Amino acid sequence: MKTLVIAEKPDMGRNIASVIEPRAKNNRSYLEGDQYIITWAVGHLVSLAEPDAYDPKYKRWSIKDLPIIPEQFKIVPNPKTKDQLKVIGELAKKCNSIVNACDAGREGQYIFALIQQQLKLKQPVKRLWISDLTAESIANGFRSLKDGAEFEDLTLAARARSEADWLIGMNASRAFTTKHQTLLSVGRVQTPVLALIYDRQKEIEAFESQTFYDVKASFSQESLQYPGTWQGERLTSKEKAEDIANRVKGKAGAITKYEMKDTKDYPFKLYDLTLLQREVNAKYGYSAKKTLDIAQGLYERHKIISYPRTNSNYVNEQNLEGMHKALHMLKSTGYKEKAEGANPALVHKNNKSVCNPERVEDHHAILPTLKRPGTLSKEEQHIYDLIIVRFLSHFYPPAVYKQHTVITEVEGESFKTNIKELVSLGWKVLIQQDKEANSNKRSGKKGKEDGEEETQEWSGGPFNVNQDKPVTCVHSEAKEKATQPPKSYTEGTLLKAMESAGKSMEDEELRDVMKDSGLGTPATRAATIERLKKVGYIIMQGKKISITQKGRSAVELIRHAGVELLASPEMTGQWERRLHQISKGEASSEVFMKNVQRFTVSIIDKVSSQKPAPSSMFAEDRERSKGVPGKRNTAVKSSAHSSKATAARGTAKVMEVQTEARTPLGDCPVTGCEGRIIEGKKGFGCSQFKAGCTFVIWKEFAGKTITQAMLKSLLSQGRTQLLSFKDDRGTAFKARIVQVRPESGQLRVERDNPLP
């Protein structure tokens, strides 16, 4: 009899067949050769059943029926792919052994385990565990197949993760939804991620900008001219800043301190998936999901990169030979010039910035394979270029600089200069034309904070300053600045926050676990962000992520219910620690599930005693639902029949209509009116508008968009902070937006220093 090979996707199956059965007959849903029959799943062919599979009463959501805790979890075929599942079952009858060739990771292991369970497959199983789909890797993988039993603990961990997510998602979502009469989706990963966005938005809204002043000067010494920044406590007085600038201008000074040291910038880390998604989002604006899809295509279809769903930035010793072969391959491609300049001797087993086996778990960093790239789309080329340049950079020496620090004193005032003088580009020769690379910011490094010392890259020849010779202040000026609020998340910065979530935990053991895992996995983070969009919790405004009112209310209700753990990375840290131990055979999945069940019961108890949310939290949501047959109950019923795949991941079901409620932003300033100011599409108006209150502040005024933070300043102080405007001639000026009268929404622009 033959051996059945089950791959995760059709492309993978065909790649495998081309190596192990090159003359196999193509039967559309499988390929059959002399020794092997190769077929495939199409993602999840089987998933956890919906609650109504246990009892029909669960079709209607009721908090009285909670918690739902199955004694034995049921699984069901995906109706869209049931034909392929049937094909696998029929093929299995013709085979006496099976090879699990699904993705080499926890999720791939789970996909196979569910198929095996549903079809009651009894044949012995071998495991193919490879990181790329090149012919060489596939051939090597089949020569060294592992016994399927070696991965039983990984299967237990995968199953525990899925069933635990189901318990939390199904029960918490139904509890919060039925208690507050609005469909609310809750999940172990999605809810802490939503809380990150919520907390950042609250920081932005609470931020009050402060005006301050920098004094910048330019000094000359013989033929050298260099900049400097005044040193001292932050200047909040314009007059004092201008006085310093005027006193030093044209005056002689001396260099009171000068230091120079050699520094090196080493290549950035090799890509894992999250780092790749972050950089692609920053450079090209692609969503995390789009980047993952493109990278998966480069891996599966083009076979020119290794497995992309990795969380490692390093490689093992056995990968080094392949890296050197890939370098040689690139010399016969469009990357010839870059590859020719590389030094193979720089990548070796003692180079810990590349080869660090202790930091590699299931998969190594994303690498090019030995296959030459064919015709790629523009988007595929963008991502492949980044991977190749990052790969090649490690075959180049570090960039070398001289770091100069100068303290110049004039009229008793000190100015500091930080100069980074380039000595040798090193690996940066690969990216010197890249504007983003020239900003000299490493991926994920924080931008310069308000008032932080600037370092200037020097490109005007050798920086030769003589500490013993005088200098002259040839120019100086006071520059007005304003402290900046925290930045809204983009998908790229949110991915970084998800990856590093929990690093500030007080529990050292949990902090260590979260250090290497974060919220979600590289393979699921993109799906989590997409999920938050789908349920109406966040929207995209360009690259910026904005939380909707529905998202705000969800976080507040969860926290106020006394189940803050649901919105905290801590629970994920606890779970990931235990799941990792289960996968290594160091902990019991049964004990883990018992603890999850107890936590589920506690959620139901706390939500049951919570007061229903006031109608104002979801006013707009309910307003839009008017006229819809069955209103919420219809939505809840329909949600029970939504995607089984989503159910398997333990997230709540949602109706198609996504809405935002309106939360009061302040009291209406009109005398005698007891209304609250709420946000509409075009302006901020009074909640008593139906009773006749006409107060409104329009969002667009004088070329500016009135934000919630600006609105609060207008309501409390009658004016905004200083803003930049341009007059009809294009001349820039500073001004504030002010209310004409406290009880009027009418606005005007008032210059900071109006001309007489």
Side-chain angles (χ1 to χ4, degrees):
M1 296 182 76
K2 299 179 181 180
T3 296
L4 179 64
V5 178
I6 302 176
E8 188 163 323
K9 294 180 181 177
D11 281 344
M12 298 172 67
R14 295 186 186 101
N15 289 333
I16 291 170
S18 68
V19 176
I20 63 172
E21 288 285 7
R23 295 185 178 85
K25 181 182 177 182
N26 190 340
N27 293 287
R28 194 177 65 81
S29 56
Y30 67 96
L31 296 132
E32 184 168 0
D34 296 333
Q35 184 179 355
Y36 296 100
I37 300 175
I38 302 96
T39 189
W40 42 79
V42 188
H44 283 269
L45 299 183
V46 184
S47 59
L48 296 178
E50 298 282 339
D52 58 82
Y54 301 94
D55 193 320
K57 71 180 180 180
Y58 294 136
K59 287 185 177 180
R60 186 180 184 279
W61 290 21
S62 172
I63 200 167
K64 295 178 182 177
D65 294 329
L66 302 178
I68 305 170
I69 301 179
E71 289 185 14
Q72 186 74 34
F73 278 88
K74 296 180 180 181
I75 59 174
V76 293
N78 183 336
K80 293 181 180 180
T81 55
K82 62 181 181 181
D83 290 342
Q84 183 62 19
L85 183 66
K86 183 178 179 181
V87 166
I88 296 175
E90 293 299 321
L91 294 174
K93 294 175 183 177
K94 301 164 58 177
C95 301
N96 62 357
S97 62
I98 296 174
V99 173
N100 172 7
C102 292
D103 278 354
R106 189 167 70 186
E107 199 64 18
Q109 192 69 18
Y110 187 51
I111 286 172
F112 177 83
L114 290 179
I115 293 172
Q116 187 181 34
Q117 178 184 346
Q118 178 67 22
L119 297 177
K120 298 180 172 61
L121 303 180
K122 302 299 183 184
Q123 296 91 332
V125 175
K126 294 289 186 180
R127 184 60 158 110
L128 176 69
W129 194 272
I130 56 177
S131 289
D132 63 64
L133 292 172
T134 61
E136 183 181 17
S137 293
I138 293 170
N140 288 337
F142 269 86
R143 281 194 292 267
S144 56
L145 290 172
K146 302 176 185 297
D147 195 304
E150 293 181 30
F151 298 87
E152 183 57 31
D153 290 329
L154 182 62
T155 302
L156 289 174
R159 195 180 297 277
R161 193 279 309 161
S162 180
E163 293 175 357
D165 276 344
W166 191 98
L167 285 174
I168 298 298
M170 288 295 182
N171 284 284
S173 297
R174 289 182 176 225
F176 280 102
T177 294
T178 54
K179 187 67 177 182
H180 303 296
Q181 299 293 296
T182 298
L183 203 57
L184 296 171
S185 176
V186 181
R188 172 181 65 96
V189 175
Q190 73 169 43
T191 302
V193 174
L194 180 63
L196 288 175
I197 301 169
Y198 172 90
D199 290 339
R200 174 61 59 85
Q201 186 61 37
K202 296 293 283 186
E203 289 177 27
I204 293 170
E205 292 170 1
F207 180 82
E208 294 186 5
S209 182
Q210 302 293 323
T211 300
F212 67 97
Y213 300 87
D214 273 351
V215 179
K216 300 288 187 180
S218 181
F219 304 100
S220 67
Q221 185 186 74
E222 297 180 341
S223 62
L224 178 70
Q225 189 162 312
Y226 64 92
T229 301
W230 181 82
Q231 299 296 291
E233 292 186 3
R234 174 173 286 179
L235 295 168
T236 56
S237 167
K238 183 178 182 179
E239 292 74 16
K240 184 175 180 180
E242 289 179 340
D243 175 65
I244 293 172
N246 291 332
R247 281 194 295 107
V248 300
K249 188 181 297 183
K251 301 295 178 60
I255 296 174
T256 59
K257 182 179 179 182
Y258 171 60
E259 293 179 352
M260 189 277 288
K261 62 180 180 179
D262 294 325
T263 62
K264 295 180 180 180
D265 279 3
Y266 289 89
F268 304 147
K269 292 186 293 186
L270 291 168
Y271 284 122
D272 62 7
L273 176 60
T274 302
L275 181 56
L276 179 64
Q277 288 170 317
R278 283 165 45 196
E279 296 205 352
V280 171
N281 180 258
K283 187 167 186 178
Y284 298 113
Y286 301 169
S287 69
K289 181 180 184 301
K290 182 174 182 177
T291 299
L292 173 56
D293 290 344
I294 294 171
Q296 196 70 20
L298 295 175
Y299 164 66
E300 287 183 10
R301 190 167 61 257
H302 295 286
K303 300 186 284 295
I304 56 177
I305 67 169
S306 63
Y307 185 69
R309 297 169 185 252
T310 175
N311 64 352
S312 176
N313 304 104
Y314 304 93
V315 302
N316 292 308
E317 288 184 26
Q318 55 265 39
N319 302 124
L320 296 176
E321 182 181 356
M323 291 181 71
H324 284 88
K325 289 181 178 180
L327 173 64
H328 182 73
M329 177 274 295
L330 291 171
K331 293 179 181 179
S332 59
T333 70
Y335 302 97
K336 181 178 186 298
E337 184 179 350
K338 291 181 171 67
E340 291 284 2
N343 179 2
L346 294 176
V347 174
H348 51 81
K349 67 179 183 180
N350 294 321
N351 181 348
K352 294 302 181 184
S353 64
V354 176
C355 183
N356 193 341
E358 293 181 359
R359 302 293 298 275
V360 180
E361 291 189 9
D362 293 339
H363 300 285
H364 55 70
I366 300 173
L367 300 173
T369 66
L370 303 184
K371 189 175 186 299
R372 290 177 178 81
T375 302
L376 302 178
S377 70
K378 180 181 178 181
E379 293 169 339
E380 288 172 332
Q381 193 68 56
H382 282 159
I383 291 178
Y384 188 62
D385 283 346
L386 287 175
I387 293 170
I388 293 301
V389 169
R390 183 60 56 90
F391 168 78
L392 287 174
S393 69
H394 288 275
F395 290 92
Y396 278 74
V400 179
Y401 295 88
K402 288 183 178 179
Q403 181 72 47
H404 304 268
T405 303
V406 184
I407 302 295
T408 306
E409 189 170 302
V410 182
E411 296 293 306
E413 304 292 346
S414 293
F415 294 80
K416 189 172 186 178
T417 304
N418 290 315
I419 294 292
K420 195 172 184 180
E421 179 189 357
L422 177 66
V423 176
S424 172
L425 269 174
W427 66 272
K428 290 189 177 181
V429 70
L430 297 170
I431 56 173
Q432 60 181 334
Q433 301 302 319
D434 189 318
K435 293 180 180 179
E436 200 167 270
N438 285 340
S439 69
N440 195 41
K441 291 182 181 178
R442 287 186 178 269
S443 173
K445 183 178 179 179
K446 292 183 179 179
K448 186 175 73 67
E449 301 292 337
D450 300 316
E452 186 178 322
E453 295 168 1
E454 299 179 20
T455 297
Q456 179 176 320
E457 287 222 17
W458 189 258
S459 56
F463 185 81
N464 293 322
V465 65
N466 191 325
Q467 185 174 357
D468 299 324
K469 292 185 177 181
V471 300
T472 301
C473 179
V474 295
H475 179 74
S476 61
E477 63 177 326
K479 292 189 174 183
E480 182 182 293
K481 293 190 174 183
T483 55
Q484 299 299 310
K487 292 182 178 179
S488 296
Y489 281 118
T490 64
E491 287 204 25
T493 57
L494 181 59
L495 284 167
K496 176 172 171 37
M498 292 170 72
E499 186 178 44
S500 60
K503 286 188 176 179
S504 60
M505 287 179 176
E506 292 184 6
D507 186 314
E508 185 175 349
E509 188 177 357
L510 283 181
R511 188 168 63 245
D512 287 342
V513 171
M514 294 295 286
K515 177 181 65 177
D516 295 323
S517 60
L519 288 170
T521 67
T524 62
R525 286 176 188 136
T528 298
I529 296 174
E530 293 301 311
R531 177 70 183 164
L532 292 174
K533 296 176 188 176
K534 183 178 179 182
V535 300
Y537 285 162
I538 62 173
I539 57 173
M540 300 302 299
Q541 296 180 324
K543 283 188 179 181
K544 185 177 76 171
I545 297 174
S546 291
I547 190 168
T548 66
Q549 184 54 48
K550 184 178 183 181
R552 289 172 182 261
S553 298
V555 174
E556 290 167 359
L557 289 170
I558 289 168
R559 285 176 169 170
H560 293 163
V563 285
E564 302 94 315
L565 199 59
L566 270 177
S568 166
E570 184 178 348
M571 186 173 76
T572 287
Q574 293 172 341
W575 281 31
E576 288 300 332
R577 173 177 60 185
R578 193 65 68 214
L579 290 170
H580 180 73
Q581 291 171 342
I582 293 169
S583 72
K584 300 297 182 184
E586 299 168 358
S588 164
S589 60
E590 290 84 1
V591 172
F592 171 76
M593 290 304 298
K594 287 292 183 184
N595 290 332
V596 173
Q597 290 172 10
R598 281 196 288 270
F599 182 56
T600 301
V601 172
S602 73
I603 292 172
I604 305 306
D605 289 343
K606 290 180 178 180
V607 176
S608 297
S609 62
Q610 189 177 27
K611 292 182 179 180
S615 58
S616 61
M617 290 189 78
F618 298 102
E620 188 172 321
D621 193 47
R622 290 184 175 133
E623 186 70 24
R624 292 185 186 183
S625 70
K626 288 180 180 178
V628 179
K631 293 185 182 176
R632 184 190 61 80
N633 287 340
T634 300
V636 171
K637 282 183 181 180
S638 66
S639 74
H641 299 285
S642 61
S643 166
K644 299 289 192 297
T646 302
R649 290 171 174 81
T651 48
K653 308 303 170 277
V654 297
M655 52 189 169
E656 289 299 316
V657 180
Q658 298 168 5
T659 59
E660 295 180 42
R662 291 181 283 190
T663 289
L665 302 172
D667 294 330
C668 179
V670 176
T671 302
C673 180
E674 297 181 354
R676 307 294 301 279
I677 301 302
I678 56 177
E679 182 175 1
K681 287 185 177 179
K682 295 185 178 180
F684 302 95
C686 180
S687 60
Q688 296 295 316
F689 66 95
K690 290 185 179 180
C693 183
T694 59
F695 182 90
V696 64
I697 290 178
W698 301 110
K699 288 184 177 179
E700 300 298 326
F701 178 74
K704 298 292 183 184
T705 298
I706 306 297
T707 64
Q708 288 191 7
M710 293 165 69
L711 172 76
K712 290 178 179 179
S713 293
L714 286 166
L715 293 176
S716 62
Q717 304 172 27
R719 60 181 56 210
T720 67
Q721 65 183 63
L722 278 175
L723 305 169
S724 296
F725 293 87
K726 288 187 177 179
D727 60 22
D728 294 338
R729 297 188 298 274
T731 304
F733 65 93
K734 293 285 186 179
R736 304 175 193 272
I737 297 176
V738 302
Q739 289 196 71
V740 175
R741 294 191 309 276
E743 293 190 355
S744 169
Q746 184 179 351
L747 306 175
R748 74 164 184 256
V749 175
E750 184 179 281
R751 288 183 181 246
D752 186 32
N753 292 306
L755 296 174

